[in-house]
Amino acid sequence: MTFVRSAPEPVLPPPPRGRDPAASSTFGSAANIVTTLVIAFFAERSLPHFLAWAFTNGVWRGDAADCRDAGACWIFLHEKAPFILFGIYPEAERWRPLLVVSVLIGLTLWTMPHRHWTRATLLTWVVGIAGSLLAMAGGVAGLTPVPPSAWGGLPVTLLLTVLSLALGFPLGLGLALARRSRLPLGRWLATGTVEILRGVPVLTLLFIAAVMAPLLLPDGMRVETFVRALVVFTLVSAAYLSEVLRGGLQGVPRAQMESAQALGLRRREVLLIVVLPQAIRKVLPPLASTIIVVIKNTSLVMVVGLFDLVSAGRVVLNDPAWPMPYAETYLMIALVYFAVCHGVARYALHQERVLGEGGR
Amino acid sequence: MTILDIAGVHKWYGDYHALRNVSLRVDAGERVVICGPSGSGKSTLIRCVNGLAAHDAGEIVVAGETVSDDPAALRRIRTRVGMVFQDFNLFPHLTVLQNCVLAPMRVSGLSAGKARDMALALLDSVRIAEQADKFPGQLSGGQQQRAAIARALCMQPEIMLFDEPTSALDAEMVKEVLDIMKALARAGMTMLCVTHEMAFAREVADRIVFMDEGQILEVADAQTFFTDPGHPRTRVFLDKISL
């Protein structure tokens, strides 16, 4: 039997989809109703306490005496914020760490849009980081010298993060490539390095760098604690980044490399222009996670006597004039970390969307 | 004038003898189609021409340059040999135009403006100039393959290799790619083409090479190949495929 259509089938809208998903996940099933009630119960119990502590009884003006038997001691933060942010850096010179923080944050924001991913931006970063280190250390252009042991707070956190990521990324890429190489020695060495660095707690590595390194270095050679900590963070980030990147490199089809080679591109160009951008795109979620872990790991430097944001916070709490407002101080530090880490996460999500547009 | 000379080439994959003493000479301007069953070594042979696969014995000379494992010599050869793949292999993170200007700028050292002008002209000649700023993933298979042809042509190659360029295409898109290849043949391009499109071979090829089990079994002009094949295996092959 033959069939030839004479009139087209009408194009229809889909049938109604049932209840609103937000409503159904709140009250949709017995389990959801119980969960909702439990959450509501605890919120009802704790939220008024928190609000009373933070706002109704919170101390927004006055001095240390007003904080006795009161709620949140916000004036403490107002008073101590410069120290938490800049640590034991000489007070008269605080404009220098402030400048460094502004430059690092400014550069990061500037680098975000794709159209700014240029050689000039890369160069600006190199100059910006070198300038930041000089500005912190002083001893040039009439700036008072300030040794890294006296640096503190947010600039230490940011400098350690930026430097260990900037140095760790190429190193990690090298390790990832070595692990995929045809030479057994390179593969073996890279695998060993990565496994050792991942298999030992960062805290232990920091202690090794702080305590054991002086024993290994030749007599009279002293390396700043800041540099030793930086070496540890760089190696650890390299190890984690290398595994993330290796995963990405494995996901790029061999044919991509071949078609780039067939056009006459050099090995380096094939890697940097064709393979790596595709590899990174495939591993953006774990890459963002790794970066966030690196940022938060920097808070471990307090064990080797460096003053990052967290350790500066601990120091101000020791001021006997104040009733030790732990919660307020750690809340503030938590907010700074959250702002930075959440920013990284949002940016990675945004990149996933932007880069995904052209993707297969 | 000989532009490609393949002489006594052998290739092994492990213990498997993939190319067995293959010799083939191609003149400038000649269109050669290589056909044969799968696994006969057709793709391996053309991948040896630009060094994507390394041959183990014998000699391949492309436009006076011997194929070896020297990276500089290989790059010189690859700038003169264009290649089109079965799966297009456009770079998915770059636009069509960026795909086309990449090698001319990086390898041939063309200025951005010149590379762009040439790429747009070539994209126009494969009739997808209006897709220049799209990403490969936004194009149909036929459009992607035409873009890949334009990308290869942007290096102004002296010889073009095609590795089953229509095998991954929907039936409706085969013709648009074959039409471009026919136009290229008419323009005098030297072409070495692995394909199962026998109608195309009959229309375009100066010579047809039939391969099986890593050997060349027969080389003949298109007329002889289809009407009076010499080797019994060729006859079996032609009987089995529908023309």
Side-chain angles (χ1 to χ4, degrees), chain A residues 101-124:
Chain A
V101 168
S102 316
V103 164
L104 292 178
I105 292 177
L107 270 176
T108 306
L109 294 177
W110 166 262
T111 311
M112 283 168 72
H114 277 199
R115 64 176 185 282
H116 291 162
W117 293 5
T118 59
R119 206 168 285 238
T121 302
L122 189 67
L123 207 68
T124 315

Side-chain angles (χ1 to χ4, degrees), chain A residues 11-318:
Chain A
V11 177
L12 302 172
R17 278 181 223 283
R19 274 183 298 174
D20 161 35
S24 76
S25 68
T26 318
F27 297 111
S29 67
N32 284 350
I33 291 172
V34 171
T35 314
T36 305
L37 287 177
V38 170
I39 291 173
F41 174 76
F42 280 106
E44 196 269 329
R45 276 300 161 101
S46 57
L47 212 57
H49 284 292
F50 177 77
L51 292 177
W53 173 77
F55 298 103
T56 325
N57 301 330
V59 182
W60 298 88
R61 56 177 57 107
D63 55 28
D66 296 316
C67 281
R68 304 227 177 269
D69 307 316
C73 188
W74 300 122
I75 46 167
F76 175 79
L77 293 184
H78 182 256
E79 172 111 0
K80 298 292 187 183
F83 189 89
I84 297 174
L85 290 178
F86 302 125
I88 54 175
Y89 206 86
E91 243 183 287
E93 305 287 332
R94 272 191 190 148
W95 63 271
R96 282 152 62 179
L98 183 64
L99 179 72
V100 166
V101 168
S102 316
V103 164
L104 292 178
I105 292 177
L107 270 176
T108 306
L109 294 177
W110 166 262
T111 311
M112 283 168 72
H114 277 199
R115 64 176 185 282
H116 291 162
W117 293 5
T118 59
R119 206 168 285 238
T121 302
L122 189 67
L123 207 68
T124 315
W125 266 104
V126 173
V127 173
I129 291 177
S132 294
L133 290 172
L134 275 181
M136 288 297 282
V140 287
L143 294 174
T144 326
V146 178
S149 51
W151 300 0
L154 193 54
V156 167
T157 299
L158 292 182
L159 278 172
L160 281 174
T161 301
V162 168
L163 278 169
S164 61
L165 285 173
L167 300 171
F169 193 90
L171 200 60
L173 180 61
L175 284 170
L177 292 175
R179 236 182 139 160
R180 286 162 54 81
S181 112
R182 270 170 305 171
L183 304 171
L185 184 69
R187 233 172 23 230
W188 189 81
L189 279 175
T191 310
T193 310
V194 169
E195 289 314 317
I196 288 171
L197 287 168
R198 288 202 307 171
V200 179
V202 182
L203 207 56
T204 313
L205 289 170
L206 279 170
F207 276 127
I208 291 175
V211 181
M212 280 179 60
L215 303 177
L216 303 174
L217 288 172
D219 281 344
M221 190 172 158
R222 243 182 57 78
V223 178
E224 281 289 350
T225 315
F226 180 84
V227 176
R228 280 187 245 150
L230 177 60
V231 169
V232 168
F233 287 128
T234 301
L235 291 175
V236 171
S237 343
Y240 281 94
L241 288 172
S242 84
E243 284 299 275
V244 172
L245 289 174
R246 194 166 67 93
L249 292 172
Q250 271 166 357
V252 179
R254 220 191 129 63
Q256 284 288 314
M257 214 178 82
E258 287 178 347
S259 71
Q261 284 172 339
L263 287 167
L265 293 168
R266 289 168 182 77
R267 280 173 59 104
R268 198 170 48 92
E269 293 167 328
V270 174
L271 175 69
L272 293 182
I273 305 175
V274 175
V275 177
L276 195 57
Q278 296 186 54
I280 288 177
R281 193 166 85 179
K282 285 177 198 294
V283 293
L284 270 171
L287 193 61
S289 279
T290 308
I291 290 172
I292 287 172
V293 168
V294 169
I295 295 172
K296 294 194 298 184
N297 269 350
T298 57
S299 64
L300 293 170
V301 290
M302 75 168 117
V303 303
V304 293
L306 284 179
F307 281 92
D308 77 317
L309 204 53
V310 179
S311 35
R314 285 169 64 97
V315 170
V316 295
L317 284 169
N318 291 332

